[in-house]
Amino acid sequence: MARPEQVLVLEPQHELKFRGPFTDVITATLKLTNPTDRNVCFKVKTTAPRRYCVRPNSGIIDAGTSVNVSVMLQPFDYDPNEKSKHKFMVQSMLAPYDMTDMEGVWKEAKPEELMDSKLRCTFEMPLENDKTHDSECNKIVSSSASSVKSDHSALPKSTSVSLDDGEVKKIMEECKRLQMEVQRLREENKQIREDDGLRKRKVTSLGASHSSSSTMATSAMRDEGLSTRILALCVLFFVIGVIIGKLAL
């Protein structure tokens, strides 16, 4: 009795192509589509199991869905004079409605229930023109990568320069602010002294000595506090001036 016709749709239908060079694993994709309203069990077999890795090599395809099977050719020494004799077979069968064990289903399957499709394998090496084109593309990519790298390496320098300029600008503004603060303190100190002179001339002779002493003590404390602040500001101004001098060098 003849076997039923394959219900799965294979893409590609008859041939798996592997394009070299074959110094690394080469992968071809086999798409299996189930256009029926039944689930379908499948298996993928090959005449050269040591040369290929197939994932998945078996399973169930639900009704109206598809599965991509990766066929991975292992590296080997390619001989253009040797024709490939490798073949693949996709075996399938309709899944029973009450299926629980897929391996058991395959063992109990009758020959008239099995469907299969065969594909041959072909090996191709890229043409010289393709090699030249690939080489030029690689050169373009490499040059682009190097130019991008050089642009990125130049960025930190310009950023550091802009940061230095910004720091100098901040220091200059701080110096101006300190100068204004020193001038304000000097004027305030002068005003306090003038006020103390007026108080001294207005007090009486007896009360003048007592009031004068307390006023002088207060004035001395204020003068001492203002002098300390002026001295601290002058020291800070001197340090900032040294920093600006180093940055200018």
Side-chain angles (χ1 to χ4, degrees):
M1 182 177 179
R3 290 189 177 186
E5 185 179 354
Q6 176 69 271
V7 295
L8 296 179
V9 178
L10 279 64
E11 297 179 26
Q13 293 183 349
H14 307 294
E15 187 176 78
L16 287 174
K17 293 183 179 181
F18 297 89
R19 189 177 178 85
F22 301 99
T23 55
D24 200 357
V25 176
I26 306 298
T27 302
T29 300
L30 174 63
K31 184 178 181 181
L32 306 178
T33 303
N34 177 14
T36 70
D37 57 357
R38 294 274 304 272
N39 294 346
V40 176
C41 302
F42 75 94
K43 276 186 177 182
V44 181
K45 299 180 178 181
T46 179
T47 58
R50 295 183 179 180
R51 300 287 296 276
Y52 298 90
C53 181
V54 182
R55 292 291 182 274
N57 57 4
S58 63
I60 299 176
I61 306 176
D62 294 336
T65 63
S66 60
V67 170
N68 288 328
V69 177
S70 297
V71 182
M72 291 164 278
L73 172 63
Q74 304 305 304
F76 71 101
D77 295 329
Y78 175 70
D79 184 359
N81 297 322
E82 181 182 356
K83 292 185 179 181
S84 173
K85 297 180 181 180
H86 303 166
K87 294 181 180 180
F88 278 83
M89 181 175 69
V90 178
Q91 200 170 42
S92 64
M93 62 176 294
L94 296 176
Y97 292 105
D98 56 349
M99 185 185 70
T100 57
D101 180 16
M102 189 170 63
E103 288 298 327
V105 170
W106 283 107
K107 291 179 180 179
E108 298 173 2
K110 299 177 181 179
E112 60 270 17
E113 296 176 342
L114 300 178
M115 300 167 282
D116 59 65
S117 300
K118 296 179 180 179
L119 301 93
R120 64 178 181 271
C121 299
T122 59
F123 302 148
E124 296 180 354
M125 287 295 291
L127 300 176
E128 291 298 327
N129 292 337
D130 294 340
K131 290 182 180 180
T132 303
H133 178 70
D134 293 341
S135 177
E136 291 178 353
C137 290
N138 291 333
K139 289 181 180 178
I140 293 173
V141 172
S142 300
S143 61
S144 299
S146 61
S147 63
V148 171
K149 184 177 180 181
S150 62
D151 291 342
H152 281 290
S153 63
L155 284 176
K157 295 182 180 179
S158 61
T159 304
S160 63
V161 171
S162 62
L163 287 176
D164 291 341
D165 294 341
E167 290 294 333
V168 172
K169 185 177 180 180
K170 289 181 180 180
I171 292 173
M172 294 299 294
E173 291 177 355
E174 185 67 17
C175 288
K176 292 180 180 179
R177 190 184 67 80
L178 289 174
Q179 289 176 351
M180 294 176 64
E181 183 70 15
V182 170
Q183 183 65 27
R184 187 184 66 80
L185 290 174
R186 286 177 179 173
E187 293 178 357
E188 184 178 349
N189 190 22
K190 183 179 180 181
Q191 184 65 35
I192 290 173
R193 289 180 178 177
E194 291 177 355
D195 293 341
D196 289 340
L198 291 175
R199 289 192 189 96
K200 290 177 183 179
R201 290 192 293 268
K202 289 181 180 180
V203 295
T204 60
S205 58
L206 292 176
S209 59
H210 182 274
S211 176
S212 175
S213 60
S214 61
T215 303
M216 290 177 65
T218 303
S219 175
M221 291 177 63
R222 290 183 180 178
D223 290 343
E224 183 179 357
L226 289 172
S227 299
T228 303
R229 293 174 62 184
I230 293 173
L231 179 61
L233 290 172
C234 290
V235 172
L236 180 60
F237 182 73
F238 174 76
V239 172
I240 293 174
V242 173
I243 295 173
I244 295 175
K246 290 184 177 180
L247 290 176
L249 293 177

